[in-house]
Amino acid sequence: MITVNNVYKSFGKNEVLKGISLNVEKGEKLALIGPSGSGKSTLLRCLNLLEEIKYGEVWLDGKLLTPVDPYLHFDVIEKSNTFKKVCAELAQAGTPESEIREKAILKIKKEDLLKPFEGREYRAAVKKIFKENYLNINLARRCMGMVFQQFNLFNNMNVLNNMIYAPVKLKIMTKAQAEEKAAALLKRIGLPDKADAFPSSLSGGQKQRIAIARSLMMNPEVMLFDEPTSALDPEMVGEVLALIKELADEGMTMVIVTHEMGFAREVATRVLFMDGGNILEEGAPEKIFTQPQNERLKDFLSKVL
Amino acid sequence: MNAALLAGFFKNFAKVFTETAYLKMLFKGLETTLIISIGAAAIGLLLGSLVAIVKITPKKNKFMLIPNFICDVYTTVIRGTPMALQLFLMAFVIFAIRGFPNELTAIFAFGINSGAYVAENIRAGILSVDRGQSEAGRALGLNGRQTMLKIVVPQGMKNVIPALGNEIIALIKETSIVSMIGMVDLTAAAKIIGSGQNLATYLAPTAVAALFYLIIVYLLTFAIKLIERKLRKSDNRK
């Protein structure tokens, strides 16, 4: 459903993601775990492009969300001037004809192709891929619900308007439909009497449950959770996790960044361990938590479990 | 001795209000002050909002590079030079046209000056809104403009209003320097009334002028408080 291909991201000189590739299948519940600063939140935010990526591509349901990264398309590489130059160099060095193409592609680095002056044919090829596959990010985000660590309810609107503003504004449903759906959702999360309340009068757990309901208003196909319980008082963590688990049981596809190992183990169908901008280990939760292979993961688990 | 001084002050104070010529002059000055202030505030708010919008748009947008540069130069130059100098420049160079109304010159000069401060106030207010708010809006699929107009700006305005009120209050008092280009505003009127040919004492007329300024500023402060209270409604815990 979501495909992340060789994604690099850096903040200034600090490389946060170093070539992450990832595939999220429909119905899958993916948990991202790892120490602070390992890049898991950044990776999640790259999925719906709240962070702009440096290299690589993100695809949603076969649609491209990012600009084309020519490095990932061999037929585009072949049309570039850099490729021709590298081929000529290899031919001069006496490389056999049959191996030139392969070697040249291997030799070209991802940075090489982002410069201008790669030729008209190359530009046309890039443009073609872009035109055929590109999906506007605002459209893509409609089917990707996002839940933040800090809730981020709109402080200037009451709960009801928080929930209905986006779907009504984007003409996904009429106001009456949206209000009906909001009422149903509020009832489901156990806060039917809070429709007129402002976020400042709610507790953290209530805010987060409403934030989840707000995302659900858009009928998302996948939910992204960015440490949904990290900013909550301990006694409120339970109610939020219960709601997320309920969604998971209904078959919602989700990607969860979390420090709640017990929760990850219970809900996730696949767990990814990240550190230093790389995915170091991935697998079924049982395998990750009981038979970790990677030294870094063993160390991490010994500290948090 | 002191009692005599005080009695003299009150006598002159009363004279300012009873002598129709003086009163007329004061109110004429007040009118000038108000016209310049209101006109300048209107221009300042308009210009300031425009400049703030340009300055807030992301730097990635190539079409905004030149407007952005112009706005940067504008705020830097205006905030970096004295108001009196700008007023002189307007009156004796830019609008040095025979028959061009002095009021308009002053309105433009103060409006353009105020715009630079208003722009910075608005920009600061918008930037003070938590980034998470706009991220949440964008994550729901709203575009940048919708997020800005309905989510970020309303919250930013809460922080902008007190600073804007401050700016307008400062503007009203600063208009008193128009006497430097020969206009008679409230301050200048008080000075004329206090001069040797008239009352021959500055104490009473300046006190009256001060009272007028105070009343205007007090009314304005009251209005700003009302607006603020209205905007802060969503912060109240019910």
Side-chain angles (χ1 to χ4, degrees):
Chain A
M1 181 163 194
I2 301 178
T3 305
V4 174
N5 207 346
N6 198 31
V7 162
Y8 283 76
K9 165 78 190 169
S10 52
F11 294 111
K13 280 193 176 152
N14 181 17
E15 279 215 322
V16 186
L17 299 179
K18 300 171 185 163
I20 300 269
S21 294
L22 174 69
N23 205 353
V24 184
E25 299 295 336
K26 199 164 177 61
E28 196 173 27
K29 292 107 184 78
L30 190 67
L32 295 175
I33 61 170
S36 301
S38 58
K40 49 194 191 317
S41 275
T42 308
L43 174 60
L44 189 82
R45 290 161 59 83
C46 281
L47 294 185
N48 68 353
L49 259 58
L50 281 183
E51 301 289 353
E52 210 174 316
I53 62 176
K54 198 170 166 194
Y55 304 111
E57 292 175 352
V58 177
W59 295 72
L60 172 75
D61 281 335
K63 287 284 177 192
L64 183 65
L65 305 185
T66 52
V68 177
D69 185 356
Y71 180 66
L72 300 173
H73 303 273
F74 289 157
D75 48 332
V76 175
I77 292 180
E78 278 170 28
K79 290 194 174 94
S80 69
N81 287 344
T82 307
F83 177 79
K84 283 168 198 156
K85 216 171 76 191
V86 173
C87 279
E89 276 168 20
L90 285 173
Q92 229 169 27
T95 319
E97 188 85 27
S98 53
E99 292 172 20
I100 283 185
R101 180 181 173 270
E102 208 167 309
K103 280 201 172 161
I105 286 175
L106 284 176
K107 209 173 170 190
I108 289 175
K109 293 201 176 62
K110 60 184 190 301
E111 300 91 55
D112 295 343
L113 291 167
L114 291 178
K115 295 171 197 144
F117 318 122
E118 290 288 359
R120 187 185 291 170
E121 235 182 297
Y122 166 86
R123 276 208 306 275
V126 171
K127 217 172 191 176
K128 185 160 170 268
I129 294 180
F130 187 74
K131 228 176 179 176
E132 280 172 2
N133 298 303
Y134 183 69
L135 175 68
N136 184 293
I137 185 62
N138 288 329
L139 292 176
R141 280 174 180 150
R142 290 183 191 182
C143 49
M144 290 200 267
M146 175 110 183
V147 177
F148 298 87
Q149 185 178 358
Q150 299 295 341
F151 331 126
N152 293 344
L153 291 178
F154 305 138
N155 293 323
N156 57 329
M157 299 181 186
N158 66 20
V159 168
L160 183 70
N161 283 328
N162 256 288
M163 293 174 74
I164 68 172
Y165 178 66
V168 171
K169 185 88 191 172
L170 298 173
K171 300 198 170 71
I172 291 169
M173 42 184 105
T174 64
K175 195 159 185 245
Q177 282 171 331
E179 275 170 5
E180 196 179 324
K181 185 162 171 127
L185 275 170
L186 281 175
K187 200 171 166 198
R188 175 179 166 184
I189 62 173
L191 300 168
D193 52 340
K194 294 288 185 193
D196 296 323
F198 276 94
S200 53
S201 67
L202 300 170
S203 75
Q206 290 171 334
K207 279 187 206 173
Q208 193 61 299
R209 280 187 284 161
I210 287 164
I212 293 172
R214 180 177 67 178
S215 306
L216 290 176
M217 285 294 291
M218 307 290 291
N219 295 322
E221 286 166 38
V222 53
M223 291 280 285
L224 311 174
F225 292 94
D226 187 3
E227 302 191 24
T229 58
S230 295
L232 294 176
D233 292 340
E235 54 180 335
M236 289 168 182
V237 170
E239 60 191 57
V240 172
L241 290 185
L243 178 59
I244 298 174
K245 186 163 187 320
E246 215 181 295
L247 283 176
D249 291 342
E250 282 168 19
M252 175 71 78
T253 312
M254 45 177 79
V255 184
I256 313 167
V257 171
T258 185
H259 288 293
E260 303 277 338
M261 294 305 148
F263 178 71
R265 189 170 179 170
E266 189 184 352
V267 170
T269 54
R270 185 154 62 111
V271 178
L272 252 68
F273 173 69
M274 283 185 71
D275 191 25
N278 291 308
I279 296 175
L280 295 186
E281 192 163 341
E282 65 171 289
E286 287 310 313
K287 200 173 140 272
I288 291 277
F289 288 108
T290 53
Q291 305 155 332
Q293 306 293 318
N294 190 289
E295 279 307 314
R296 192 67 195 84
L297 175 56
K298 282 181 197 166
D299 183 44
F300 175 73
L301 288 177
S302 71
K303 279 175 188 154
V304 295
L305 285 182
Chain B
M1 171 76 181
N2 278 340
L5 255 178
L6 211 61
F9 170 72
F10 278 118
K11 213 181 106 200
N12 284 327
F13 198 82
K15 221 173 182 178
V16 174
F17 280 106
T18 45
E19 199 94 4
T20 28
Y22 295 164
L23 207 58
K24 229 178 184 172
M25 208 184 278
L26 265 182
F27 274 104
K28 192 88 185 83
L30 180 67
E31 194 192 321
T32 309
T33 295
L34 284 181
I35 286 175
I36 296 174
S37 304
I38 292 170
I43 291 182
L45 284 179
L46 212 77
L47 196 62
S49 317
L50 214 74
V51 172
I53 290 170
V54 172
K55 281 192 151 194
I56 284 166
T57 46
K59 298 279 181 291
K60 275 177 293 179
N61 194 337
K62 286 196 186 92
F63 298 105
M64 295 305 275
L65 277 180
I66 293 170
N68 222 312
F69 177 73
I70 293 171
C71 290
D72 270 343
V73 171
Y74 163 67
T75 46
T76 313
V77 169
I78 293 294
R79 294 198 304 165
T81 54
M83 179 66 235
L85 199 87
Q86 292 164 24
L87 189 64
F88 281 154
L89 206 67
M90 281 284 183
F92 303 135
V93 181
I94 297 172
F95 291 125
I97 308 162
R98 191 183 294 271
F100 194 84
N102 255 342
E103 276 89 354
L104 271 185
T105 310
I107 286 175
F108 279 125
F110 283 101
I112 289 170
N113 178 272
S114 179
Y117 291 93
V118 168
E120 288 302 299
N121 285 341
I122 291 181
R123 198 176 66 94
I126 301 279
L127 289 184
S128 72
V129 177
D130 181 25
R131 232 182 94 198
Q133 293 287 317
S134 62
E135 276 177 3
R138 296 308 303 274
L140 282 169
L142 298 166
N143 64 30
R145 205 170 51 92
Q146 290 162 336
T147 310
M148 202 61 181
L149 285 182
K150 278 292 174 174
I151 294 158
V152 179
V153 169
Q155 295 186 51
M157 277 332 265
K158 267 192 299 202
N159 305 330
V160 173
I161 292 296
L164 275 190
N166 225 346
E167 168 55 28
I168 292 175
I169 288 171
L171 172 69
I172 290 173
K173 291 178 296 173
E174 208 170 13
T175 54
S176 61
I177 65 168
V178 290
S179 62
M180 294 173 108
I181 59 167
M183 291 178 70
V184 182
D185 73 323
L186 187 53
T187 307
K191 197 179 148 214
I192 293 170
I193 294 168
S195 68
Q197 294 145 348
N198 295 314
L199 274 182
T201 168
Y202 286 117
L203 187 56
T206 45
V208 174
L211 200 68
F212 279 18
Y213 278 116
L214 260 175
I215 291 170
I216 299 171
V217 170
Y218 180 79
L219 288 178
L220 201 65
T221 315
F222 184 72
I224 292 164
K225 260 191 194 148
L226 277 186
I227 298 172
E228 250 182 88
R229 197 175 307 159
K230 209 163 187 186
L231 284 175
R232 293 214 175 266
K233 232 166 65 186
S234 63
D235 287 352
N236 298 339
R237 289 162 181 257
K238 273 189 251 171

